[in-house]
Amino acid sequence: MKKIAIFLTAICIFTACELDKDPYDAYTKDTILADKEAAMNILLNGCYAQLKDWSDVMHRVGEYAGDNIMIRGSSTDAFYTFISYQHVPDNYRLGTFWNNSYKIISQSSDLIKLIQEGENAEIDQKLGEAYYLRGSMYFYLCRAFGRPYYQSPETNLGVPIVNGLPQDMENLQLPDRATVKETYEQAISDLKKSESLMNRKKSSAYASKSAAQAMLSRIYLYMSGTYENPILDYSDSSIVYAEKVIESGEYSLLNRDNFMKYNTFAPDQSIQTETIFAVKRLSSEFSGNDHYYGIGGMYANIQGKGWGEMYASAKYLDLLRKSGARNDARWAFINPQYVSDKAGNKIEAFRFVCDLFDKDEILQTGYGYIQDTIQYRNDQSMYMKIGDQEYPLTEVNAANNTYSIVYKNKKYEGEKDYLMLLNRVYPMYYIMKCSMQENESHLHSPIISRLAELYLNQAEAYAKKGDYANAVSKLNIIRERSIPGAGYTSLSNTNAASLIDEERALELAFEAHRSFDVYRIGATMKRHYPGPHNAMEDIEPTNNRVVQYIPQSEINSYPNTISQNP
């Protein structure tokens, strides 16, 4: 009884849940079993509540270490270590991520131990949700703190597998970290169990059979190796689980127009047919400083709220421009901040990214933006001024607004556009994908799974199998939704990896996939674009900094040993 009371006390402290019938300390094992469905609702709601803080750090770990974003300058906030790769073992944000993950694992595990399956469909559904939450937490923990699966999963360390409090609390013995392979096996086992138990179609704010299948498709893709050395059984499994969701008929891709408003829909709105599972945030719980400190607050200042200090990277913007004339629907999630003249009109300008060098103009140190207004000569030829010197602009592709300039003896291509506001020296390309839910500044329900990812999973898995016909078919479903008529005619072993990677980067940007997508296929992180990061350093997938340190505070408070990452 003492263990149950401690467990429920923790739930109520951390989730501020209200018990309608009894105070929390009255919820012993007997009272739980007396009204199982009501008690399960309380326990599961506690788990879902933990996801709200958890998902904030989950996003930053996955997205900030990637190449979709840049920040205007260095920061003392703990999230800057994700961007700079200057990892430290006392990062409080990682402590939040670790703690919330294990709270969910603990709460769901105790629920699984208390309630037997098979009593009725409703109880089985809730048990399935508990298994889903636990399995997902192990996967997310392992991808942050464990090395990519293709790198010796039998010996590399994942995270401790602790499925609830042990019986002997007075002689508490908890295990050290399991291997990556063992951690993935635990996640898969839980998710398969959840798939078998869940039987109710609920809104996308809750776990479901399809959510479990979507997560299994992702996990098997992570396990499927590199393009050079694929593991075909896992590729097959990723395809199969993605197809289960697609064939269920429960979800459909939004049309192009609605997809361009994806961020404005709550996950459980009837119009939102693509989201499989998201961490539902409500306007009533998102106010005051949350508009600044939430995910979207770093990406934009909207309705006078948010820092607006982190922007779409030049690399990501170049991917968007490849389709030409801003035809890609995913431009809808990028909001450039333009300067207006006294009449309220935009001002024509040219902008390009140039190489930066040391004071001796010998060693390249990074990249920088240069922009200025476009000037016209009498013959209507264009030029821009940099300092006191005039630089002519030469047409490359006028339809795409692409022109070239020769600057410091090097030819650069840039964009004819409009003069943009700068934050320090960086054009402010606001990111909108994590804001404006229900038209409220930075209200956002972080996406865990959506249908588009599953088509991209299948494209990659088919390509790894050498089935390029199916790979290009799946890839084009997503590509042509955003860029009508721009589907690829074929894929091959020479271009499949790069084209699929580009499409995943475009489609899944700002959803916490990018850094993991690069490293799990054995690729190198190349951030050759402006920003305060070390743009001249490429991060190899074997680098120790690809994985995070386990928070030292958690190692110190753990009753037994947890091995630290090197």
Side-chain angles (χ1 to χ4, degrees), residues 1-26:
M1 295 299 181
K2 179 181 179 183
K3 180 181 77 170
I4 301 299
I6 292 171
F7 167 57
L8 287 170
T9 300
I11 289 175
C12 290
I13 289 172
F14 289 119
T15 66
C17 61
E18 296 181 1
L19 306 180
D20 294 330
K21 295 183 180 179
D22 295 300
Y24 64 81
D25 56 3

Side-chain angles (χ1 to χ4, degrees), residues 89-100:
D90 58 351
N91 187 312
Y92 80 90
R93 288 188 181 274
L94 286 175
T96 298
F97 179 68
W98 180 278
N99 269 320
N100 284 328

Side-chain angles (χ1 to χ4, degrees), residues 324-337:
R326 295 205 172 182
N327 287 333
D328 196 320
R330 291 162 294 209
W331 272 110
F333 307 121
I334 308 299
N335 187 1
Q337 300 298 291

Side-chain angles (χ1 to χ4, degrees), residues 36 41 73 78 95 100 116 122 133 135 152 157 210 242 253 324 340 355 411 495 545:
K36 295 177 186 176
N41 283 335
N100 284 328
Q116 295 297 313
E122 186 62 31
L133 292 166
S152 303
L157 296 180
S210 289
L253 293 176
S340 297
D355 301 336
K411 183 178 179 179
N495 67 4
R545 291 176 293 164

Side-chain angles (χ1 to χ4, degrees), residues 270-464:
S270 59
I271 195 173
Q272 179 51 274
T273 60
E274 188 166 332
T275 298
I276 299 167
F277 180 50
V279 180
K280 175 71 181 293
R281 298 300 302 265
L282 301 171
S283 178
S284 60
E285 65 187 18
F286 199 78
S287 60
N289 285 338
D290 284 341
H291 291 283
Y292 284 83
Y293 295 102
I295 294 169
M298 283 303 297
Y299 290 150
N301 180 293
I302 303 171
Q303 300 170 0
K305 298 173 182 176
W307 302 110
E309 296 180 0
M310 194 175 289
Y311 312 122
S313 71
K315 183 175 183 178
Y316 184 74
L317 295 170
D318 282 344
L319 280 182
L320 285 173
R321 292 187 187 105
K322 284 181 70 173
S323 62
R326 295 205 172 182
N327 287 333
D328 196 320
R330 291 162 294 209
W331 272 110
F333 307 121
I334 308 299
N335 187 1
Q337 300 298 291
Y338 292 114
V339 176
S340 297
D341 62 20
K342 292 181 179 179
N345 299 315
K346 295 177 183 176
I347 304 166
E348 273 196 325
F350 183 71
R351 184 169 45 258
F352 68 101
V353 173
C354 69
D355 301 336
L356 298 179
F357 293 88
D358 63 7
K359 62 182 178 62
D360 297 320
E361 294 290 321
I362 296 173
L363 181 67
Q364 186 175 354
T365 58
Y367 301 86
Y369 278 103
I370 295 179
Q371 74 161 359
D372 207 338
T373 56
I374 292 175
Q375 313 272 352
Y376 288 87
R377 296 190 174 93
N378 290 336
D379 62 1
Q380 294 303 299
S381 62
M382 295 183 293
Y383 68 94
M384 71 179 293
K385 293 185 72 173
I386 304 175
D388 294 328
Q389 189 170 347
E390 296 180 357
Y391 293 85
L393 305 181
T394 302
E395 179 183 317
V396 176
N397 186 330
N400 289 350
N401 292 320
T402 304
Y403 291 78
S404 66
I405 186 172
V406 176
Y407 176 64
K408 293 188 176 181
N409 299 315
K410 182 173 180 179
K411 183 178 179 179
Y412 297 97
E413 290 187 2
E415 181 182 31
K416 178 189 174 187
D417 189 33
Y418 300 102
L419 197 66
M420 286 185 64
L421 290 169
L422 303 180
N423 193 332
R424 297 186 180 174
V425 295
Y426 302 114
M428 298 165 63
Y429 287 96
Y430 282 172
I431 297 164
M432 307 299 289
K433 206 173 192 181
C434 302
S435 302
M436 292 303 292
Q437 179 180 312
E438 300 167 279
N439 199 39
E440 182 167 343
S441 64
H442 298 300
L443 182 60
H444 170 62
S445 294
I447 302 159
I448 303 301
S449 296
R450 65 181 175 96
L451 190 61
E453 180 200 346
L454 300 184
Y455 287 107
L456 293 170
N457 289 357
Q458 289 186 321
E460 180 180 326
Y462 275 123
K464 286 176 175 174

Side-chain angles (χ1 to χ4, degrees), residues 253 330 452 455-456 458-460 468-491 499-500 503-504 507:
L253 293 176
R330 291 162 294 209
Y455 287 107
L456 293 170
Q458 289 186 321
E460 180 180 326
Y468 298 113
N470 268 318
V472 74
S473 173
K474 299 298 183 179
L475 185 66
N476 281 341
I477 288 171
I478 301 306
R479 183 165 181 78
E480 293 191 350
R481 193 254 301 264
S482 284
I483 320 171
Y488 299 111
T489 56
S490 64
L491 294 179
L499 295 181
I500 291 169
E503 205 63 34
R504 286 186 72 93
E507 181 69 20

Side-chain angles (χ1 to χ4, degrees), residues 174-190:
L174 297 178
D176 195 355
R177 297 165 67 186
T179 65
V180 167
K181 184 173 186 288
E182 290 166 339
T183 310
Y184 270 65
E185 287 173 344
Q186 175 69 50
I188 289 170
S189 174
D190 282 344

Side-chain angles (χ1 to χ4, degrees), residues 521-534:
I521 60 171
T524 300
M525 184 67 70
K526 299 179 179 181
R527 300 185 294 171
H528 300 172
Y529 54 81
H533 61 279
N534 185 354

